[in-house]
Amino acid sequence: MCRVVDLKQAVLAKNETAARTLRTELTARGTTVVNLLSSPGSGKTALLEAELDLARRRGVPVAALTADLATENDALRLGRSGVPVKQVLTDGLCHLEAAMLSRHLDGWLPEDTRLLFVENVGNLVCPASYDLGESLRVALASVTEGEDKPLKYPTAFGLAQLVVVTKTDIAEAVEFDEATFRANVRQVNPGVEVVLTSARTGAGVGTLLERALSVADGCPAHTPVMAAGGHSHDGHDHGHDGDHHGHEAHHGHTHPPVARTL
Ligand SMILES: Nc1nc2c(ncn2[C@@H]2O[C@H](COP(=O)(O)OP(=O)(O)OP(=O)(O)O)[C@@H](O)[C@H]2O)c(=O)[nH]1
Ligand SMILES: [Mg+2]
């Protein structure tokens, strides 16, 4: 048992080192990474299509790397924007790691890239524990997923530096309760900004681009309480499940694992 825990910690620690190196290298050349994570089908690619399009029209040099277990569907969609796009197939792995990202950027990422959007594998568990050298981590939730997702996936939402609600064009139809969602976000990540978006109407697309550019300009992103406690983006242990089996991670002092019989 201890050995398994040690192995997980070692994998995470190795990733933290790779992420720190990547962040330093990319920041030095003027590239800011935006890591997008959400459950499958929340609308990451659709929103990214709109972001890339807007960035291109505004003359901002952007690129996108999208990760999936299988298919090149997302890269084909994103590629229509005309900006550099790369598909990464993770070979069964449910998340990206910093070293993988590093390898894929080598010789591909254009030198002048200001923003690199990374669409993580659709999953609210595994990707949450892996820093990709990003300077802005965005957790997305669509209005159809239920207002309780921040509470059920406290690591993903608790470590986000920005929370994005997607598909707001259908919020009314699915009776999305924005106030409850915001209250739930506040519980796991006090002070984080929540941006309402719709890839269909274009709502919030400009806001997300502006937030990313602001971080690229050197304005500090939100520091989540979870991260400030020494549990993310700073080389320390996340205290989370870092395996590939998809168990929700639990944060030692805020969300102890609970087994209950109902
Ligand atoms: N109504 C509405 N539908 C949307 C919106 N954004 C995405 N969708 C739909 O939601 C579905 C999933 O969207 P994707 O962009 O593929 O979601 P994803 O998060 O990239 O999915 P994975 O990469 O598989 O995790 C598609 O049928 C989209 O057309 C939106 O803003 N409004
Ligand atoms: Mg996608």
Side-chain angles (χ1 to χ4, degrees):
M1 182 59 182
C2 294
R3 276 205 188 163
V4 174
V5 172
D6 284 352
L7 187 61
K8 283 181 193 167
Q9 301 310 334
V11 168
L12 287 173
K14 201 172 155 200
N15 185 71
E16 292 291 344
T17 305
R20 261 202 307 274
T21 306
L22 185 58
R23 185 162 30 244
T24 305
E25 283 172 8
L26 289 175
T27 306
R29 58 179 264 185
T31 302
T32 293
V33 175
V34 180
N35 182 5
L36 303 178
L37 50 101
S38 80
S39 59
S42 301
K44 295 179 291 302
T45 307
L47 186 60
L48 207 40
E49 285 179 271
E51 296 298 339
L52 299 183
D53 203 46
L54 181 63
R56 192 187 41 75
R57 283 189 277 120
R58 290 193 183 168
V60 181
V62 290
L65 183 143
T66 180
D68 274 304
L69 272 70
T71 85
E72 304 231 326
N73 293 354
D74 285 2
L76 290 171
R77 285 166 62 189
L78 296 172
R80 288 188 216 125
S81 64
V83 313
V85 167
K86 188 169 196 177
Q87 178 80 52
V88 172
L89 297 180
T90 59
D91 198 23
L93 202 62
C94 58
H95 61 270
L96 273 173
E97 293 180 12
M100 290 162 68
L101 185 62
S102 223
R103 272 199 308 278
H104 283 282
L105 298 184
D106 253 1
W108 167 72
L109 189 69
E111 270 305 317
D112 68 341
T113 306
R114 184 115 185 270
L115 295 176
L116 169 66
F117 288 97
V118 177
E119 178 184 345
N120 222 312
V121 179
N123 186 314
L124 274 177
V125 184
C126 321
S129 296
Y130 289 84
D131 183 351
L132 298 183
E134 71 263 21
S135 296
L136 183 63
R137 180 182 288 210
V138 183
L140 302 89
S142 66
V143 295
T144 58
E145 288 170 55
E147 297 78 8
D148 61 352
K149 291 306 164 290
L151 301 179
K152 286 187 174 179
Y153 299 94
T155 308
F157 288 93
L159 289 175
Q161 293 167 300
L162 191 68
V163 172
V164 165
V165 178
T166 58
K167 311 189 190 182
T168 54
D169 54 293
I170 53 171
E172 221 177 289
V174 298
E175 298 180 359
F176 175 68
D177 183 342
E178 185 188 329
T180 300
F181 180 81
R182 284 181 183 275
N184 291 341
V185 168
R186 266 198 305 277
Q187 276 197 51
V188 296
N189 196 341
V192 71
E193 186 184 5
V194 176
V195 177
L196 303 179
T197 71
S198 164
R200 288 281 154 82
T201 67
V205 172
T207 308
L208 177 55
L209 185 61
E210 276 154 28
R211 296 299 179 271
L213 285 173
S214 150
V215 172
D217 285 343
C219 298
H222 165 72
T223 304
V225 172
M226 244 185 205
H231 291 267
S232 178
H233 291 146
D234 56 4
H236 294 285
D237 166 37
H238 293 199
H240 305 143
D241 178 9
D243 70 15
H244 305 159
H245 305 295
H247 304 295
E248 170 54 283
H250 291 281
H251 194 270
H253 60 272
T254 49
H255 303 281
V258 178
R260 278 197 304 172
T261 310
L262 296 176

